[in-house]
Every structure is written in C-alpha cells, then in structure tokens.
Amino acid sequence: MSVVAEARGFREAVGLFRTSEALQGAIDELLSSGFDRADISLLGSEQAIRSTLGDAFERTDLEDNPATPRGVYVSPDAIGTAEGSLISILAYVSGVATAGVIAIAGGPLTMIILGAGLAGAGGGLIGASLAKLVGDHRAADMHSHLAAGGLLLWVRTWHIDDEGRAVGILTRHSGRDVHVHSLPATAAAHPSAAETPQ
C-alpha cells in the first residue's frame, strides 16, 4: 500500500448496476482509464454470500459490509478463451490418445486417422458441454444478482483523484447509489481475503 493510501485509509468506490451491459461498460472504462484489474471486484455468488453471511442478511447492507464475499473480475474474453481451451484440449487429447492406442495395436493408417477423428470429435463435444457449463454458471450468478436487485461493483481507490474518477465512471454507466467508503484496517491489510472466484 502506498504512503498516501495508508494515510487516508483503505477506500473504494461502489455502485449498483441493473444490467450486465452497464456493468461491463463501467468496467471497460475503468480499465481504459488506468484502474488496475486487481482493484476491481464484483459481488460473490449467492452461495458464497449465504455461507458467509447466513440467510438473514439484508441485500441493502452488502455494498458497505466488509464481510460481503467478492469475486474477482474475469473478462468475457478470458471466459471465451477458457471455453475454447476446454473444447480444443479435450478434442486433441482424445484424438491423439486414440491414434496412439490404434497404432500400438498395429492398426492400419486409415484406421488410425479415422479413430483419431472420431475420438477428437467426441472429446470436442465433451469439451463443448463443459464450456457451456462454465458459461451457464456465470450467467446464473449474474441472473440471480439481477433478480435480487442488481450487480455490485467495487473499485479500490489509492488516491483522492481516483475517487472522483471512479465515481464519475460508475455514474456515467448508470450506476446507482454510487459512493466512496472506507474499510477497516484488517480489510485493507488483506483485501483479497474475502474474494472468491466467479
């Protein structure tokens, strides 16, 4: 933590978004305006919220509660890459393994090629199913937050100038109840302690 940040305490801007498009627009502008990806966090999953805060939590208290579980921001591009990797890796491994088994068994070249192609297609289908699960899980989290009132976005602000820029960006992208708050020193010392992957 910088000397300036230590002197003014651990502060962050927070805003509530009613659509995933508005949230993504705010994140894109934050990143293009010099904020670091590590300084951006989103509301954790409903399961993480309930296991941390119990069933009696108030949704209106989540944005300023330091115990609220958070998820790290993962860009749509990174999710697309992960989905594509699942498909291609499983297709490749299945095809190569099958070709190897047929070759070891002494099968003809045409059988090796055909077997590798069929196994690769099967592996690709399994990979596509797993990739769909990854996308569906993220979509389900977004939908549950939207149904419960909106998507929360926090931005760590290390300098006073950052506060004004962050509030301006969140507001420009239809953020509601946009404000800056301070967190206890324990959260400042370990800001990622409550973070969970989304």
Side-chain angles (χ1 to χ4, degrees), residues 20-143:
S20 56
E21 293 81 14
L23 175 78
Q24 189 61 54
I27 291 171
D28 290 344
E29 187 174 347
L30 286 165
L31 293 173
S32 67
S33 297
F35 286 93
D36 194 284
R37 185 178 306 274
D39 292 333
I40 297 171
S41 56
L42 303 171
L43 185 59
S45 68
E46 289 291 326
Q47 179 182 359
I49 294 168
R50 294 197 184 287
S51 67
T52 303
L53 303 176
D55 289 329
F57 71 90
E58 292 289 328
R59 286 215 73 93
T60 54
D61 294 339
L62 293 177
E63 61 193 39
D64 294 320
N65 183 347
T68 299
R70 300 187 185 190
V72 295
Y73 169 67
V74 180
S75 72
D77 292 341
I79 291 171
T81 300
E83 290 171 341
S85 296
L86 279 172
I87 296 168
S88 59
I89 286 172
L90 286 174
Y92 176 77
V93 169
S94 300
V96 169
T98 301
V101 169
I102 295 171
I104 289 171
L109 182 60
T110 55
M111 185 59 96
I112 292 172
I113 294 170
L114 181 62
L118 290 174
L125 286 173
I126 293 169
S129 298
L130 291 174
K132 185 176 180 331
L133 286 175
V134 169
D136 289 350
H137 177 72
R138 181 175 170 86
D141 275 347
M142 289 273 199
H143 181 71

Side-chain angles (χ1 to χ4, degrees), residues 4 6 12 14 28 32 34 92 139 150-151 154 161 170 173 186 190:
V4 174
E6 196 171 324
E12 60 186 5
V14 60
D28 290 344
S32 67
Y92 176 77
L151 302 161
W154 291 270
D161 293 344
L170 298 183
H173 290 276
T186 54
H190 305 286

